[in-house]
Short mmCIF file of all heavy atoms in Angstrom, two decimals:
data_model
loop_
_atom_site.label_atom_id
_atom_site.label_comp_id
_atom_site.label_asym_id
_atom_site.label_seq_id
_atom_site.Cartn_x
_atom_site.Cartn_y
_atom_site.Cartn_z
N LEU A 268 123.39 123.32 130.68
CA LEU A 268 124.28 123.46 131.84
C LEU A 268 125.52 122.61 131.59
O LEU A 268 125.43 121.42 131.26
CB LEU A 268 123.58 123.02 133.14
CG LEU A 268 124.44 123.05 134.40
CD1 LEU A 268 124.79 124.50 134.76
CD2 LEU A 268 123.67 122.41 135.54
N VAL A 269 126.70 123.21 131.74
CA VAL A 269 127.96 122.49 131.62
C VAL A 269 128.45 122.23 133.05
O VAL A 269 128.55 123.15 133.87
CB VAL A 269 129.02 123.26 130.83
CG1 VAL A 269 130.32 122.47 130.77
CG2 VAL A 269 128.48 123.53 129.41
N VAL A 270 128.75 120.95 133.38
CA VAL A 270 129.07 120.53 134.74
C VAL A 270 130.48 119.94 134.78
O VAL A 270 130.84 119.11 133.91
CB VAL A 270 128.07 119.49 135.26
CG1 VAL A 270 128.42 119.06 136.67
CG2 VAL A 270 126.66 120.04 135.21
N ASN A 271 131.28 120.36 135.72
CA ASN A 271 132.59 119.76 135.94
C ASN A 271 132.42 118.49 136.75
O ASN A 271 132.02 118.51 137.91
CB ASN A 271 133.52 120.72 136.66
CG ASN A 271 134.01 121.85 135.77
OD1 ASN A 271 134.04 121.70 134.55
ND2 ASN A 271 134.38 122.97 136.36
N VAL A 272 132.72 117.32 136.12
CA VAL A 272 132.60 116.03 136.80
C VAL A 272 133.83 115.78 137.69
O VAL A 272 133.75 115.13 138.71
CB VAL A 272 132.42 114.89 135.78
CG1 VAL A 272 132.27 113.53 136.47
CG2 VAL A 272 131.22 115.18 134.87
N SER A 273 134.99 116.30 137.28
CA SER A 273 136.20 116.21 138.10
C SER A 273 136.59 117.59 138.62
O SER A 273 136.17 118.60 138.07
CB SER A 273 137.35 115.60 137.28
OG SER A 273 137.67 116.45 136.18
N GLY A 274 137.38 117.60 139.64
CA GLY A 274 137.72 118.87 140.26
C GLY A 274 138.83 119.65 139.57
O GLY A 274 139.12 120.76 139.96
N ASN A 275 139.47 119.06 138.57
CA ASN A 275 140.60 119.73 137.96
C ASN A 275 140.26 120.34 136.60
O ASN A 275 141.14 120.58 135.78
CB ASN A 275 141.76 118.75 137.79
CG ASN A 275 141.38 117.57 136.92
OD1 ASN A 275 140.20 117.28 136.73
ND2 ASN A 275 142.40 116.88 136.37
N ALA A 276 138.99 120.57 136.34
CA ALA A 276 138.57 121.13 135.05
C ALA A 276 138.53 122.64 135.10
O ALA A 276 138.47 123.27 136.18
CB ALA A 276 137.20 120.59 134.66
N ASP A 277 138.57 123.28 133.92
CA ASP A 277 138.43 124.71 133.87
C ASP A 277 137.01 125.14 134.24
O ASP A 277 136.08 124.31 134.28
CB ASP A 277 138.72 125.18 132.45
CG ASP A 277 140.14 124.85 131.99
OD1 ASP A 277 141.01 124.71 132.86
OD2 ASP A 277 140.35 124.71 130.75
N ASP A 278 136.84 126.40 134.50
CA ASP A 278 135.50 126.88 134.81
C ASP A 278 134.57 126.66 133.62
O ASP A 278 134.92 126.98 132.47
CB ASP A 278 135.54 128.38 135.14
CG ASP A 278 136.29 128.68 136.42
OD1 ASP A 278 136.31 127.77 137.28
OD2 ASP A 278 136.76 129.80 136.60
N PRO A 279 133.38 126.06 133.83
CA PRO A 279 132.49 125.76 132.71
C PRO A 279 131.82 126.99 132.16
O PRO A 279 131.72 128.03 132.85
CB PRO A 279 131.45 124.81 133.34
CG PRO A 279 131.40 125.23 134.79
CD PRO A 279 132.82 125.64 135.11
N PRO A 280 131.34 126.96 130.92
CA PRO A 280 130.56 128.09 130.36
C PRO A 280 129.31 128.33 131.18
O PRO A 280 128.83 127.43 131.89
CB PRO A 280 130.22 127.61 128.94
CG PRO A 280 131.26 126.56 128.64
CD PRO A 280 131.55 125.89 129.94
N PRO A 281 128.75 129.55 131.11
CA PRO A 281 127.57 129.87 131.93
C PRO A 281 126.34 129.06 131.58
O PRO A 281 126.18 128.60 130.46
CB PRO A 281 127.36 131.38 131.64
CG PRO A 281 128.64 131.85 131.05
CD PRO A 281 129.24 130.68 130.34
N PHE A 282 125.46 128.92 132.57
CA PHE A 282 124.17 128.27 132.43
C PHE A 282 123.30 129.08 131.46
O PHE A 282 123.37 130.31 131.40
CB PHE A 282 123.51 128.17 133.79
CG PHE A 282 122.05 127.85 133.77
CD1 PHE A 282 121.61 126.56 133.65
CD2 PHE A 282 121.10 128.88 133.92
CE1 PHE A 282 120.24 126.28 133.65
CE2 PHE A 282 119.76 128.61 133.91
CZ PHE A 282 119.33 127.29 133.78
N ALA A 283 122.43 128.39 130.71
CA ALA A 283 121.49 129.08 129.79
C ALA A 283 120.15 128.41 129.84
O ALA A 283 120.04 127.19 129.88
CB ALA A 283 122.05 129.07 128.37
N GLN A 284 119.11 129.23 129.82
CA GLN A 284 117.71 128.72 129.78
C GLN A 284 116.88 129.63 128.87
O GLN A 284 117.02 130.83 128.91
CB GLN A 284 117.10 128.67 131.18
CG GLN A 284 115.70 128.06 131.20
CD GLN A 284 115.20 127.86 132.64
OE1 GLN A 284 115.73 128.45 133.57
NE2 GLN A 284 114.14 127.09 132.78
N GLN A 285 116.05 128.97 128.07
CA GLN A 285 115.29 129.72 127.06
C GLN A 285 113.92 129.08 126.88
O GLN A 285 113.81 127.86 126.87
CB GLN A 285 116.05 129.71 125.77
CG GLN A 285 115.41 130.44 124.61
CD GLN A 285 116.36 130.47 123.42
OE1 GLN A 285 117.14 131.36 123.24
NE2 GLN A 285 116.32 129.40 122.62
N LYS A 286 112.88 129.92 126.73
CA LYS A 286 111.53 129.43 126.51
C LYS A 286 110.95 130.08 125.28
O LYS A 286 111.06 131.29 125.11
CB LYS A 286 110.63 129.70 127.74
CG LYS A 286 109.21 129.14 127.56
CD LYS A 286 108.45 129.15 128.86
CE LYS A 286 108.16 130.56 129.35
NZ LYS A 286 107.29 130.55 130.57
N PHE A 287 110.33 129.25 124.44
CA PHE A 287 109.71 129.74 123.21
C PHE A 287 108.26 129.32 123.20
O PHE A 287 107.94 128.12 123.38
CB PHE A 287 110.44 129.17 121.97
CG PHE A 287 109.84 129.59 120.66
CD1 PHE A 287 109.98 130.92 120.23
CD2 PHE A 287 109.13 128.70 119.87
CE1 PHE A 287 109.45 131.29 118.98
CE2 PHE A 287 108.63 129.09 118.66
CZ PHE A 287 108.78 130.39 118.22
N THR A 288 107.36 130.26 123.02
CA THR A 288 105.92 129.99 123.01
C THR A 288 105.34 130.38 121.67
O THR A 288 105.56 131.49 121.20
CB THR A 288 105.20 130.76 124.15
OG1 THR A 288 105.78 130.38 125.40
CG2 THR A 288 103.71 130.41 124.15
N LEU A 289 104.60 129.45 121.07
CA LEU A 289 103.99 129.69 119.78
C LEU A 289 102.49 129.46 119.87
O LEU A 289 102.03 128.45 120.43
CB LEU A 289 104.55 128.72 118.72
CG LEU A 289 103.87 128.70 117.36
CD1 LEU A 289 104.17 129.99 116.62
CD2 LEU A 289 104.28 127.51 116.56
N ASP A 290 101.69 130.41 119.36
CA ASP A 290 100.23 130.26 119.28
C ASP A 290 99.82 130.34 117.83
O ASP A 290 100.42 131.11 117.03
CB ASP A 290 99.55 131.37 120.08
CG ASP A 290 99.82 131.26 121.57
OD1 ASP A 290 99.19 130.42 122.23
OD2 ASP A 290 100.70 132.02 122.06
N GLU A 291 98.80 129.58 117.47
CA GLU A 291 98.32 129.56 116.09
C GLU A 291 96.81 129.42 116.03
O GLU A 291 96.21 128.66 116.81
CB GLU A 291 98.97 128.38 115.35
CG GLU A 291 98.49 128.20 113.91
CD GLU A 291 99.06 127.01 113.22
OE1 GLU A 291 100.30 126.99 113.06
OE2 GLU A 291 98.32 126.08 112.87
N LEU A 292 96.18 130.19 115.16
CA LEU A 292 94.76 130.07 114.83
C LEU A 292 94.66 129.80 113.33
O LEU A 292 95.38 130.41 112.54
CB LEU A 292 94.01 131.32 115.19
CG LEU A 292 93.85 131.66 116.68
CD1 LEU A 292 93.19 133.00 116.87
CD2 LEU A 292 93.05 130.57 117.40
N ALA A 293 93.76 128.88 112.97
CA ALA A 293 93.69 128.53 111.55
C ALA A 293 92.24 128.15 111.20
O ALA A 293 91.49 127.62 112.02
CB ALA A 293 94.59 127.34 111.25
N VAL A 294 91.89 128.42 109.95
CA VAL A 294 90.67 127.91 109.35
C VAL A 294 91.11 127.18 108.07
O VAL A 294 92.08 127.59 107.41
CB VAL A 294 89.64 129.02 109.01
CG1 VAL A 294 89.12 129.62 110.30
CG2 VAL A 294 90.24 130.09 108.15
N PHE A 295 90.41 126.14 107.73
CA PHE A 295 90.80 125.36 106.55
C PHE A 295 89.56 124.74 105.91
O PHE A 295 88.50 124.61 106.54
CB PHE A 295 91.78 124.23 106.95
CG PHE A 295 91.26 123.32 108.00
CD1 PHE A 295 90.55 122.17 107.66
CD2 PHE A 295 91.50 123.55 109.34
CE1 PHE A 295 90.06 121.33 108.65
CE2 PHE A 295 91.04 122.70 110.34
CZ PHE A 295 90.31 121.57 109.99
N GLY A 296 89.71 124.43 104.67
CA GLY A 296 88.62 123.82 103.92
C GLY A 296 89.10 123.12 102.68
O GLY A 296 90.20 123.41 102.19
N GLU A 297 88.29 122.19 102.23
CA GLU A 297 88.64 121.44 101.02
C GLU A 297 87.36 120.93 100.38
O GLU A 297 86.41 120.55 101.08
CB GLU A 297 89.54 120.24 101.40
CG GLU A 297 90.13 119.52 100.21
CD GLU A 297 91.18 118.52 100.66
OE1 GLU A 297 92.35 118.89 100.81
OE2 GLU A 297 90.79 117.34 100.87
N GLY A 298 87.33 120.96 99.08
CA GLY A 298 86.16 120.49 98.33
C GLY A 298 86.55 119.68 97.15
O GLY A 298 87.60 119.94 96.51
N THR A 299 85.76 118.65 96.81
CA THR A 299 86.02 117.78 95.66
C THR A 299 84.80 117.83 94.74
O THR A 299 83.67 117.59 95.16
CB THR A 299 86.28 116.35 96.12
OG1 THR A 299 87.44 116.32 96.97
CG2 THR A 299 86.51 115.43 94.90
N TYR A 300 85.08 118.13 93.47
CA TYR A 300 83.99 118.24 92.48
C TYR A 300 84.24 117.24 91.38
O TYR A 300 85.30 117.22 90.73
CB TYR A 300 83.95 119.65 91.87
CG TYR A 300 82.85 119.81 90.83
CD1 TYR A 300 81.52 119.90 91.23
CD2 TYR A 300 83.17 119.85 89.49
CE1 TYR A 300 80.54 120.05 90.28
CE2 TYR A 300 82.19 119.98 88.54
CZ TYR A 300 80.85 120.07 88.93
OH TYR A 300 79.88 120.22 88.02
N PRO A 301 83.29 116.32 91.12
CA PRO A 301 83.43 115.35 90.03
C PRO A 301 83.08 115.97 88.68
O PRO A 301 81.92 116.32 88.43
CB PRO A 301 82.46 114.24 90.41
CG PRO A 301 81.38 114.93 91.22
CD PRO A 301 82.04 116.09 91.91
#
Side-chain angles (χ1 to χ4, degrees):
L268 177 65
V269 179
V270 180
N271 286 336
V272 181
S273 62
N275 61 339
D277 299 334
D278 292 336
F282 165 82
Q284 185 173 14
Q285 180 174 268
K286 182 167 68 175
F287 179 71
T288 302
L289 171 72
D290 295 282
E291 177 183 297
L292 292 175
V294 294
F295 56 89
E297 189 171 273
T299 299
Y300 180 75

